[in-house]
Amino acid sequence: MSSTSVASAIGHRWPTWLALAWAAISLWDAGDGLEYAFLLAVAAAGYLFITVVDRPRATWPVLFALVGVVAVQRLLDIDPWPSLVVLAVALTAVGLFGGQLRRRGLPALQAPAGLVFLAVGVAALSVPTDLGRYLVAAGLLAHAAWDAAHWRANAVVARSFAEWCGVLDLTLAVGILFLAR
């Protein structure tokens, strides 16, 4: 294999490398694993938003906006969970009334999946830490499978995002489980 084809193969998998780097940096200073529960809420809101607006190309900007809003809320010492839950519920209502969440296939599954991911995240923060850690890891593993389905179908979100999110979710979940030992 030539150096050009190796560089091309590595470049083609940039979402994987970015996710692995983010996970490595994040897990380096990981706490009890519960700090990753918000990712389930961000993912739920993000996937719902992209489905409702039907713009997969907006996936990355939507992610940056959601993470930015969460960061600002945390800086202001505001719990981001209520706003993420309200956003997901509002998007579900808009998508059901507008029909975007009633289309066949993955779009029809966004609302139930989003609500399950939200519920797992909230539950993880509502139970003892040891159990919560395992709920977060389970939620991230389930979301990694959800990302894989979107990547394979090349539907709803940008394929690069589905790859990045799936690798990040999987790596963080394994890291949480490893740190729990």
Side-chain angles (χ1 to χ4, degrees), residues 46 69 89 118 146 173:
V69 166
V89 170
L118 279 173
W146 187 240

Side-chain angles (χ1 to χ4, degrees), residues 100-139:
Q100 300 92 330
L101 296 175
R102 289 184 280 139
R103 293 179 298 181
R104 291 185 177 272
L106 285 173
L109 299 174
Q110 297 305 313
L115 295 176
V116 166
F117 291 124
L118 279 173
V120 170
V122 169
L125 299 174
S126 305
V127 298
T129 302
D130 287 339
L131 177 58
R133 172 185 305 122
Y134 289 110
L135 282 174
V136 171

Side-chain angles (χ1 to χ4, degrees), residues 13 15 17 26 34 41 58 65 69 84 86 98 103 123 125 145 150 155-156 171:
R13 296 274 63 104
W17 300 114
S26 180
L34 295 180
V69 166
L84 290 169
V86 167
R103 293 179 298 181
L125 299 174
H150 287 78
V156 179
T171 308

Side-chain angles (χ1 to χ4, degrees), residues 6-7 13 17-18 24 36 38-39 49 66 70 72 75 82 86 95 105 119-120 131 135 137 139 143 146 157 159 167:
V6 169
R13 296 274 63 104
W17 300 114
L18 181 62
Y36 300 114
F38 87 95
L39 292 175
F49 185 88
L66 285 170
V70 168
V72 167
L75 286 173
V86 167
V120 170
L131 177 58
L135 282 174
H143 200 268
W146 187 240
V157 296
R159 198 166 205 210
V167 172

Side-chain angles (χ1 to χ4, degrees), residues 46-59 101 103-110 146 150-151 153-159 161-162:
Y47 271 69
L48 283 165
F49 185 88
I50 296 302
T51 305
V52 170
V53 299
D54 195 20
R55 299 281 184 265
R57 288 185 174 170
T59 305
L101 296 175
R103 293 179 298 181
R104 291 185 177 272
L106 285 173
L109 299 174
Q110 297 305 313
W146 187 240
H150 287 78
W151 183 87
N154 196 18
V156 179
V157 296
R159 198 166 205 210
F161 177 81

